[in-house]
Every structure is written in C-alpha cells, then in structure tokens.
Amino acid sequence: MMKKFIALITLVCTLAFAGVCLAGENGTALNKAERTVDKLIDSLDTARNIGYSDIAKGFSSELQQKLPAAGLAALQKQIGTQFGKLNEYKMVSFERFDQGDRAIYLAGFSREKVVRMVFVLDKDGKMNDFAFTPVNVEQAGK
C-alpha cells in the first residue's frame, strides 16, 4: 500500500513539473505579446508621450512601413476623436496559431463604452496588424 502511495505522489509531481515546463514557451509568447500591445495601447494617451521608436520595436517590418511615425500620430488623433479618452483596457483572449498569434482586448473610452481591439502578431512575436471596433452592448431589459 505504501509503495502505491509513493508511486502516486511521484507520478503527480512528475506531471505537475512537466506541465510547468511545457507552459514556458506559451507563457513567453504571451508576455512578449502583452508588452508589445501594451506599448501601442498606452501610446493612445498622448499625454504619456511614448516615443515612436519604443513602440515600433514590437512592429514587424511590414507594419513599420504601413504605420510610420506620422501614421501613428494620425491614428492617435483619430482614436481620440472617434472614441475619446482611454479609461481602461484588459486582455480577454490570446490565441496561438502555427504562423502567429492573436490577442483580443476590450477597452473602455469616454465616448465609446466598449471597443474590441484585435492585435495580430507573427511567429516571432512582432505585431503585423491591429483593428479597433466599437461594440454595441444592449442593456438588459430592452
């Protein structure tokens, strides 16, 4: 009986350790994606004065060409005009694919209460594309 108990404890510990080791790659990808996305989102608050070079480090070369410094400034202005001031945001989903990842955030702005923000990253963790879409939330009872 004692041998079975020790074998069971050993098996459980081995599986737990293997699970931690296997999660390492996914955790690293998630952390890298969050740092890249957070810099872009934080830059929407122009008072924070985050430099383009800091943000562009996380961009793929294609996105750097599509969104140069002047393009980012125009995006910041457009987001401010359309959605208002950013109040809060949080990640709601992180999906891994063979050729890249997708991170989905929900944000609250002063003019738009809920905005869905989707960020696409390549297999190296560099941001390829993103989109901001207002979400219509129906109130309960209507």
Side-chain angles (χ1 to χ4, degrees):
M1 183 68 167
M2 189 61 136
K3 288 181 182 179
K4 289 181 182 178
F5 182 71
I6 291 173
L8 178 65
I9 295 296
T10 304
L11 177 65
V12 169
C13 289
T14 303
L15 291 175
F17 181 71
V20 168
C21 292
L22 293 174
E25 181 183 338
N26 291 331
T28 301
L30 173 60
N31 289 336
K32 188 173 184 179
E34 276 189 302
R35 282 191 302 271
T36 300
V37 170
D38 286 349
K39 282 184 184 178
L40 178 61
I41 294 173
D42 290 343
S43 77
L44 298 176
D45 181 2
T46 54
R48 294 186 74 166
N49 205 15
I50 300 172
Y52 177 78
S53 61
D54 288 337
I55 301 163
K57 287 177 192 173
F59 290 176
S60 67
S61 57
E62 294 85 13
L63 186 57
Q64 287 178 3
Q65 291 175 354
K66 287 194 290 187
L67 189 70
L72 179 62
L75 174 71
Q76 291 167 332
K77 184 176 180 179
Q78 178 185 2
I79 295 292
T81 302
Q82 186 176 357
F83 300 143
K85 183 178 184 281
L86 178 65
N87 295 326
E88 64 178 331
Y89 67 92
K90 61 179 79 174
M91 177 185 283
V92 294
S93 174
F94 183 70
E95 300 169 312
R96 305 251 16 231
F97 301 101
D98 289 341
Q99 296 300 313
D101 305 319
R102 178 173 48 206
I104 301 173
Y105 284 66
L106 290 179
F109 289 82
S110 59
R111 290 193 190 108
E112 284 289 339
K113 298 304 175 200
V114 181
V115 175
R116 181 175 188 253
M117 302 184 296
V118 179
F119 302 92
V120 179
L121 300 109
D122 64 18
K123 63 183 177 181
D124 297 322
K126 298 286 186 176
M127 188 182 301
N128 272 339
D129 202 4
F130 57 88
F132 298 144
T133 308
V135 176
N136 292 326
V137 179
E138 293 184 23
Q139 293 182 354
K142 286 192 175 184

